[in-house]
Amino acid sequence: MQKVARNFFTLAVIYAMFGMALGLEMAISKDHAQMPTHAHIMVAGWLMSAVFAFFYHLFPAVGQKTLATVHFWLTAISGIGLLSGLYIMLGGNPAIEPLVATSSMGFYAGLLLFAYIALPVVWKAERLPEAQKA
């Protein structure tokens, strides 16, 4: 795995560890108030980062481009802001909601950037003759 793919995969594993730890903490304490945070960590954090990692692993030339690095940092920073802000907000601190909202918009912008990066590559790869796909 190379640069951006490795970074996204590492981020995915970190999210998975935090998400599972939060799930275990909720189960042990029988307090499920952070269920939305747990779900966001596991889907937006673990699953999406893993998907991004595997895309960049399958198309390593795309992962070498500056836009891929921008995608990683936009997603990483906004995702951490979103998930930590959500945890704090659901913990009883509604004043942090502007951070959650701003981070959510940044995270969505990261997904839009991924669509801009990935969809042309996937459609172009499908049109290539079999000999050129490898």
Side-chain angles (χ1 to χ4, degrees), residues 58-118:
L58 289 173
F59 299 97
V62 179
Q64 300 300 318
K65 296 182 178 184
T66 302
L67 267 184
T69 302
V70 170
H71 173 227
F72 172 76
W73 285 110
L74 177 60
T75 302
I77 292 167
S78 62
I80 291 166
L82 167 63
L83 299 172
S84 59
L86 188 59
Y87 181 84
I88 293 166
M89 188 176 80
L90 292 176
N93 298 300
I96 201 156
E97 189 170 4
L99 171 68
V100 176
T102 303
S103 296
S104 294
M105 289 184 273
F107 200 77
Y108 185 60
L111 180 61
L112 293 176
L113 180 57
F114 179 67
Y116 177 79
I117 293 167

Side-chain angles (χ1 to χ4, degrees), residues 15 35-46 82-83 86 107:
Y15 278 133
M35 183 64 74
T37 306
H38 169 71
H40 277 77
I41 292 171
M42 296 308 292
V43 175
W46 155 243
L82 167 63
L83 299 172
L86 188 59
F107 200 77

Side-chain angles (χ1 to χ4, degrees), residues 10-26:
T10 301
L11 188 62
V13 171
I14 292 167
Y15 278 133
M17 290 187 298
F18 275 99
M20 292 181 104
L22 180 57
L24 286 170
E25 189 276 326
M26 288 188 304

